[in-house]
Amino acid sequence: MGGPAIDSAYNVPMEIPSEGAGISTRPLPPDDGKRAQLELRLADGRRIKLDRGLTIGTSPRCELVVKDPCVSRKHCRIELVNFRVMVHDFESTNGTFVNGMRVATGELRSGATITVGSTRIRVVTDADQTQLLGTAASMRKLRDDITRLARSRLSVLILGETGTGKELVALAIHQESERRGEFVPLNCGSIPKELVESELFGHERGAFTGASSKRVGVFQEADGGTLFLDEVAELPLAQQTRLLRVLETGMVRPVGSNREVAVNVRVVAATHVNLREAMLANRFRADLYYRLVGAEIATPPLRVRLDDVPMLAQRFLDEFSPQAGFCKLSVGALQALRLHQWPGNVRELRHVLQRAVALSENGVIEEEDLVLRAGLQNNEVLVRVDGRVYREIERDILHSMIRRHQGNQRAAADALEIPKSTMCDKVKRYRIGISE
């Protein structure tokens, strides 16, 4: 997986090339209590592991120094805010872009790409391998499937609900395989439509407005390795056609180029969507589905392996307790965790305990300290109107209202007479892009 990880606690600044731009780092300031586990991946495949926020810019006073004439002295900062990884632009001249969209403040999720000037940095939150632990039969089967399929050449489709660790399964498949190239994750639902082809296949300089330099896509980044396409069902149909051609021929044509480039990439895809229903609704190509599903793996939801909850909870407490002193669960709190149905799965369990540890005053987490939210489960009846699921209709309404208000979520929320926080939650849940 590229070069060795670089420890952020070294004493000597280090130069790291990134598409022609030099990057150096200096020792980070003392811990301010906001500890995050981040990994920054540079375009040349190197990685920097960080556990604190950092400022990016050309000034030697920044923790991440970028030698790029298009980057401001103090360009932007990445930090942890209320358990979310955020990027803040410091009113830079040329702006900070997340997945191709200029932002003043934005949330960074695993696989997001930050662009400052001509420098691209991929952000990965440190993988929580705890999500693949468990003694339930379903977890033992999952680990056996990973081992069995890892060294095959089959493409793999991972199915499962949000928060069940689909990316971790893909990473485990890559790590147990014999492929020596990079593991490159891409969240297909987070890319604006007009940038999907560029992100997948790359582009030539001048291929479109704003293409000031040549860029390789994720297929070329993953050459010799594994490309993980998360939420693959979110790809527009036109891009599904181009993806199918690449999978069939092994040849990539960057946007604006008249030459094809051969790539050797194993594709692992994932989705929480029922692809058979999506095919029947003409939202997903059947030929692409059969190309992706060389083998299929299902990640079990946490509610079907509740006996694993105590072990997982203890692992999370061991992880978070050093930040706030030793914490333990009361009998009532543990019972509440075991009875909850976990609509957000292991990711939800982790966040619930992270919050409880942060707010704990006496080292004992009581039942009332746990924020447990109900959610729609797979066995609940879905409301359909004219053959469409209610949540699809709701997504269309929210998307239409946001576009009508030119991306202003507060104005859209006011027009729908719902709280701004509800609007933000639904935009994230439905992966609504303003530029769709």
Side-chain angles (χ1 to χ4, degrees):
M1 292 179 58
I6 302 170
D7 192 338
S8 63
Y10 45 74
N11 296 318
V12 182
M14 189 164 182
E15 299 257 339
I16 304 172
S18 177
E19 291 194 345
I23 294 180
S24 64
T25 58
R26 67 177 181 83
L28 296 173
D31 186 5
D32 60 1
K34 296 180 179 179
R35 298 183 61 84
Q37 292 182 328
L38 305 178
E39 180 177 278
L40 302 186
R41 294 184 182 176
L42 289 306
D44 67 348
R46 298 198 190 187
R47 298 171 289 165
I48 303 174
K49 286 188 179 295
L50 302 171
D51 60 0
R52 301 176 179 90
L54 82 167
T55 300
I56 302 173
T58 60
S59 169
R61 298 178 64 86
C62 294
E63 288 89 18
L64 190 60
V65 181
V66 180
K67 295 183 178 180
D68 185 333
C70 296
V71 174
S72 301
R73 285 182 58 79
K74 189 178 179 184
H75 199 101
C76 64
R77 180 170 176 79
I78 302 173
E79 62 182 346
L80 184 69
V81 180
N82 295 329
F83 311 126
R84 299 161 66 199
V85 182
M86 307 294 293
V87 61
H88 304 283
D89 181 78
F90 293 127
E91 298 184 357
S92 60
T93 302
N94 294 312
T96 299
F97 294 80
V98 176
N99 293 334
M101 298 182 65
R102 186 167 183 167
V103 298
T105 297
E107 182 174 1
L108 301 176
R109 297 188 180 276
S110 183
T113 297
I114 298 177
T115 304
V116 291
S118 61
T119 303
R120 293 172 59 222
I121 305 170
R122 186 183 298 279
V123 180
V124 181
T125 52
D126 212 17
D128 173 24
Q129 297 296 335
T130 305
Q131 295 196 51
L132 296 184
L133 296 179
T135 60
S138 58
M139 290 305 294
R140 293 197 301 270
K141 181 179 185 304
L142 176 62
R143 292 191 291 270
D144 288 343
D145 287 345
I146 290 171
T147 301
R148 178 172 51 85
L149 292 172
R151 297 194 177 185
S152 75
R153 301 181 64 181
L154 292 171
S155 57
V156 179
L157 180 63
I158 305 171
L159 304 176
E161 298 175 12
T162 297
T164 53
K166 295 189 290 294
E167 180 169 346
L168 297 180
V169 171
L171 179 59
I173 290 172
H174 172 75
Q175 291 175 334
E176 293 193 28
S177 73
E178 296 179 345
R179 303 189 69 83
R180 297 185 178 181
E182 281 284 313
F183 174 79
V184 179
L186 178 68
N187 189 317
C188 300
S190 66
I191 315 171
K193 276 186 179 180
E194 63 273 15
L195 296 177
V196 170
E197 287 194 24
S198 174
E199 190 71 26
L200 286 173
F201 313 121
H203 65 250
E204 297 293 327
R205 180 178 179 180
F208 50 84
T209 302
S212 58
S213 62
K214 180 179 179 178
R215 172 184 175 183
V216 299
V218 291
F219 268 94
Q220 288 176 268
E221 286 185 45
D223 192 18
T226 303
L227 175 60
F228 174 55
L229 298 177
D230 195 11
E231 300 302 345
V232 69
E234 300 298 323
L235 283 176
L237 285 171
Q239 280 68 43
Q240 289 181 28
T241 303
R242 285 209 61 189
L243 174 60
L244 176 64
R245 174 171 171 75
V246 173
L247 295 178
E248 289 177 338
T249 65
M251 304 293 290
V252 170
R253 177 175 292 179
V255 179
S257 175
N258 57 6
R259 299 178 59 186
E260 291 188 326
V261 180
V263 291
N264 174 17
V265 175
R266 182 186 194 176
V267 173
V268 177
T271 181
H272 70 281
V273 172
N274 186 320
L275 289 184
R276 294 186 181 276
E277 287 188 2
M279 286 189 290
L280 291 173
N282 294 320
R283 295 195 306 272
F284 197 81
R285 293 181 61 100
D287 45 7
L288 177 58
Y289 169 79
Y290 291 112
R291 174 63 65 173
L292 292 173
V293 70
E296 190 173 284
I297 289 182
T299 54
L302 186 55
R303 63 179 173 275
V304 303
R305 56 184 188 104
L306 292 176
D307 286 344
D308 286 340
V309 168
M311 178 190 67
L312 293 170
Q314 188 58 55
R315 286 298 185 99
F316 289 136
L317 289 181
D318 292 342
E319 176 186 350
F320 300 134
S321 288
Q323 303 171 30
F326 177 75
C327 287
K328 64 179 181 179
L329 291 164
S330 69
V331 174
L334 181 58
Q335 182 68 3
L337 294 179
R338 297 188 67 165
L339 292 176
H340 188 56
Q341 291 299 294
W342 301 109
N345 295 293
V346 180
R347 182 182 298 148
E348 180 189 2
L349 172 61
R350 187 180 194 278
H351 289 171
V352 165
L353 291 174
Q354 189 173 22
R355 180 185 184 279
V357 168
L359 299 179
S360 175
E361 295 182 355
N362 59 7
V364 178
I365 297 174
E366 301 290 349
E367 182 176 356
E368 54 268 24
D369 297 326
L370 304 173
V371 179
L372 303 175
R373 296 182 173 88
L376 179 66
Q377 305 297 336
N378 284 351
N379 58 357
E380 293 186 35
V381 177
L382 295 175
V383 178
R384 293 181 180 270
V385 179
D386 292 334
R388 300 183 66 204
V389 177
Y390 170 77
R391 59 172 173 259
E392 296 176 354
I393 299 173
E394 183 179 46
R395 185 191 189 281
D396 288 348
I397 293 172
L398 295 171
H399 180 217
S400 175
M401 193 61 69
I402 289 173
R403 291 193 64 180
R404 181 179 301 177
H405 291 86
Q406 286 139 4
N408 188 324
Q409 293 186 27
R410 182 175 295 279
D414 291 341
L416 291 171
E417 298 183 356
I418 61 176
K420 171 69 161 44
S421 59
T422 300
M423 171 66 77
C424 291
D425 288 341
K426 290 181 182 293
V427 165
K428 291 176 186 174
R429 183 188 313 158
Y430 293 136
R431 303 178 185 275
I432 297 175
I434 295 172
S435 58
E436 287 185 55

